[in-house]
């Protein structure tokens, strides 16, 4: 069921309550903040052997697949920042996954791994990728020279982050897959100090992939409502006076907060064009001072309400929670858009449904944006276009605060 704004707010409160009240002092010490541990392994294995193991009983979990053969299987540590006493357990876990043949090149997987502490599991993203060049130019043995496959693992704190949030498979996992592509490009780097750059890249995965949304929320605070409105309305945004990292974070937030991928591509293109024509000047964000200043920015009640959900989540400090709130924000916007389109179809034949459209636009809090979206989508539909035109006239007469 689609999460409402109130459910998101309630979820924030429960997150805070559980962090304050849950468990004994010893249990709380065993729940560290999200980390940025990583492991990089070189891998050599027989794909034919894995396929035979899979076909023995029709599943990838056969007995023969559980124990890798030393003759055709090798998983060697290349680099890690994981404590040495924990790394062998992670390697054993990855070896079993590889032996089952359930790992595909370039497609990451997410699982919960139990390391050292019984009953305490961490979320683990792992991905197999191929590389033509070796990470180390000093490798000389035949096995290392033939190895062109690597496995990278990212461990993100408790399983609440990487494993238990149901949206992770559709949000962070694809982004981490792209991050692995960047790793492959870095491993091709032949300049001096290339390996140090790779280590820095690996250790920065959490800050680069998971934390940008959190950093933007902390930077903008209550002004986040203007950023949400710009993203939802496809208003052009210019960032001035900021460093490259902050600029990347802001554009990343705008991209993730938009409805791109959730509405038809043609509609999105037409909407961007319409917004550019309607608004003479883009939203300008000046980050030269201690606090960002925004010019030509818009807002509405919908974005103001969701800004408050972000502010509540900021007290908990969980970067995964911010992404969950942002996904809920987008889903609610899509739900409202679909409801309005349904009312418009009814209004083509029913004048009472036209009144329902009008009341919905007044009460939803984002009528200004929704009306522009449906106007673009119904441009080639005469009857629906007439309904939208009537609604535009009604909304011009409505008090601005009702939007």
């Amino acid at each position: 069921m689609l999460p409402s704004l109130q459910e998101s707010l309630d979820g924030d409160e429960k997150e805070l309550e559980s962090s304050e009240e849950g468990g004994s002092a010893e249990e709380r010490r065993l729940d560290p903040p999200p980390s940025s541990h990583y492991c990089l392994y070189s891998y050599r294995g027989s794909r034919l052997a894995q396929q035979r193991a899979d076909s023995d009983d029709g599943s990838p979990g056969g007995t023969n697949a559980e124990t890798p053969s030393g003759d055709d299987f090798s998983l060697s540590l290349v680099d890690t920042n994981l404590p040495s006493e924990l790394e062998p357990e992670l390697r054993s876990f990855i070896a079993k996954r590889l032996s089952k043949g359930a790992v595909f090149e370039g497609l990451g997987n997410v699982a919960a791994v139990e390391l050292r502490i019984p009953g305490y599991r961490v979320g683990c993203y792992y991905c197999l990728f191929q590389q033509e060049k070796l990470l180390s130019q000093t490798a000389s043995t035949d096995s290392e020279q033939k190895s062109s496959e690597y496995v990278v693992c990212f461990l993100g704190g408790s399983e609440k982050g990487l494993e238990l949030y149901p949206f992770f498979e559709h949000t962070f996992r694809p982004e981490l897959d792209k991050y692995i592509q960047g790793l492959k490009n870095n491993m091709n780097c032949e300049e001096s100090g290339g390996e140090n750059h790779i280590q820095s890249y690996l250790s920065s995965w959490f800050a680069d992939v998971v934390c940008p949304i959190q950093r933007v929320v902390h930077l903008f605070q209550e002004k986040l409502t203007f950023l949400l409105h710009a993203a939802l309305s496809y208003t052009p945004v210019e960032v001035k006076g900021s460093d490259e990292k902050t600029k990347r974070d802001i554009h990343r937030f705008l991209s993730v907060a938009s409805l791109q991928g959730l509405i038809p591509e043609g509609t999105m293109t037409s909407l961007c064009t319409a917004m550019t024509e309607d608004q003479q000047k883009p939203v300008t964000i000046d980050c030269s001072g201690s606090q960002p200043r925004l010019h030509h920015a818009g807002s509405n009640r919908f974005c103001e309400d969701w800004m408050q959900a972000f502010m509540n989540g900021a007290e908990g400090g969980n970067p995964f929670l911010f992404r969950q709130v942002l996904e809920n924000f987008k889903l609610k916007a899509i739900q409202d858009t679909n409801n309005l389109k349904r009312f418009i179809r009814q209004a083509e034949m029913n004048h009472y449904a036209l009144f329902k459209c009008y009341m919905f636009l007044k009460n939803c809090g984002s009528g200004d944006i929704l009306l522009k979206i449906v106007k673009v989508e119904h441009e080639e539909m005469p009857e629906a276009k007439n309904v939208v035109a009537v609604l535009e006239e009604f909304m011009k007469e409505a008090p601005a605060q009702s939007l």
Side-chain angles (χ1 to χ4, degrees):
M1 184 176 179
L2 183 68
S4 65
L5 172 59
Q6 187 58 47
E7 287 171 340
S8 291
L9 295 173
D10 293 343
D12 297 343
E13 294 173 359
K14 291 176 182 177
E15 182 80 20
L16 296 176
E17 291 172 0
S18 63
S19 63
E20 294 172 357
E21 302 175 359
S24 64
E26 181 179 359
E27 288 173 341
R28 287 196 295 271
R29 284 197 299 269
L30 296 180
D31 191 10
S35 63
S36 57
H37 290 306
Y38 70 87
C39 281
L40 178 65
Y41 298 100
S42 63
Y43 168 63
R44 179 174 61 85
S46 170
R47 289 300 191 197
L48 292 176
Q50 293 172 19
Q51 292 171 3
R52 286 196 300 268
D54 290 351
S55 61
D56 284 343
D57 59 358
S59 68
T63 305
N64 293 334
E66 289 294 336
T67 306
S69 170
D71 296 334
D72 57 16
F73 186 96
S74 173
L75 190 63
S76 305
L77 180 65
V78 175
D79 190 32
T80 186
N81 64 351
L82 191 66
S84 57
E85 65 271 16
L86 301 182
E87 187 277 323
E89 298 182 39
L90 177 62
R91 191 189 317 193
S92 175
F93 169 82
I94 296 298
K96 290 180 180 179
R97 291 298 177 109
L98 289 168
S99 68
K100 294 179 179 180
V103 183
F104 301 97
E105 198 274 332
L107 297 176
N109 297 270
V110 181
V113 186
E114 191 171 288
L115 300 177
R116 186 63 63 181
I117 304 173
Y120 177 76
R121 299 185 298 172
V122 295
C124 176
Y125 165 91
Y126 58 96
C127 183
L128 172 71
F129 66 95
Q130 295 180 345
Q131 188 68 19
E132 294 180 1
K133 296 185 179 181
L134 292 173
L135 179 63
S136 174
Q137 299 297 326
T138 60
S140 59
T141 66
D142 290 341
S143 62
E144 288 174 321
Q145 288 174 348
K146 292 179 181 178
S147 175
S148 62
E149 292 185 304
Y150 294 88
V151 178
V152 66
C153 305
F154 294 136
L155 292 94
S158 72
E159 65 183 52
K160 288 187 294 183
L162 285 177
E163 175 69 4
L164 293 187
Y165 284 161
F167 65 87
F168 180 83
E169 183 69 17
H170 304 289
T171 52
F172 288 114
R173 188 196 61 76
E175 293 177 13
L176 285 171
D177 287 347
K178 293 179 182 178
Y179 199 73
I180 298 302
Q181 184 60 47
L183 173 62
K184 293 174 66 174
N185 296 336
N186 282 323
M187 289 177 68
N188 277 330
C189 179
E190 295 180 352
E191 292 84 4
S192 59
E195 293 188 26
N196 291 334
H197 182 64
I198 293 169
Q199 289 177 339
S200 175
Y201 188 86
L202 286 167
S203 61
S204 300
W205 75 268
F206 194 84
D208 291 346
V209 177
V210 178
C211 295
I213 306 301
Q214 181 185 43
R215 290 195 294 265
V216 169
V217 172
H218 288 160
L219 175 64
F220 282 84
Q221 298 291 318
E222 286 80 6
K223 295 178 181 178
L224 192 71
T225 180
F226 302 112
L227 215 56
L228 291 170
H229 187 272
L232 204 59
S233 62
Y234 297 94
T235 304
V237 174
E238 293 182 0
V239 182
K240 299 180 178 179
S242 73
D243 55 70
E244 286 302 316
K245 181 179 180 181
T246 300
K247 184 178 293 186
R248 276 198 312 271
D249 286 350
I250 293 173
H251 285 298
R252 170 80 175 279
F253 183 96
L254 290 169
S255 175
V256 174
S258 74
L259 301 183
Q260 185 174 5
L262 298 178
I263 63 177
E265 186 67 26
T267 299
M268 186 182 67
T269 303
S270 300
L271 185 60
C272 291
T273 303
M275 290 303 299
T276 303
E277 294 174 351
D278 290 348
Q279 186 154 334
Q280 298 292 330
K281 298 180 181 179
V283 174
T284 302
I285 303 175
D286 184 0
C287 297
S288 57
S290 58
Q291 293 292 325
R293 297 189 297 273
L294 292 91
H295 306 281
H296 317 300
S299 182
N300 58 29
R301 181 161 43 83
F302 180 82
C303 295
E304 291 169 0
D305 289 344
W306 280 94
M307 175 274 295
Q308 191 57 53
F310 281 99
M311 292 300 96
N312 292 346
E315 300 177 17
N318 187 335
F320 293 98
L321 180 62
F322 292 106
R323 185 58 178 267
Q324 186 180 39
V325 175
L326 192 55
E327 294 299 318
N328 291 347
F329 162 80
K330 292 161 57 178
L331 289 173
K332 186 63 173 70
I334 285 294
Q335 184 188 55
D336 287 348
T337 303
N338 291 336
N339 284 337
L340 178 58
K341 289 192 288 187
R342 177 167 53 86
F343 291 147
I344 289 175
R345 287 195 299 269
Q346 296 173 357
E348 294 175 12
M349 301 172 291
N350 186 322
H351 289 293
Y352 177 71
L354 180 62
F355 178 73
K356 287 174 61 179
C357 285
Y358 171 66
M359 294 305 298
F360 178 80
L361 285 170
K362 282 190 63 176
N363 296 327
C364 70
S366 58
D368 56 335
I369 297 175
L370 296 185
L371 199 54
K372 290 179 180 179
I373 293 176
V374 297
K375 181 179 180 179
V376 169
E377 288 196 10
H378 295 87
E379 187 66 29
E380 304 300 326
M381 304 176 186
E383 292 185 357
K385 185 177 179 180
N386 291 336
V387 172
V388 172
V390 172
L391 290 173
E392 283 185 309
E393 290 299 320
F394 283 163
M395 295 304 290
K396 286 179 184 178
E397 299 173 4
Q401 61 266 27
S402 68
L403 300 180

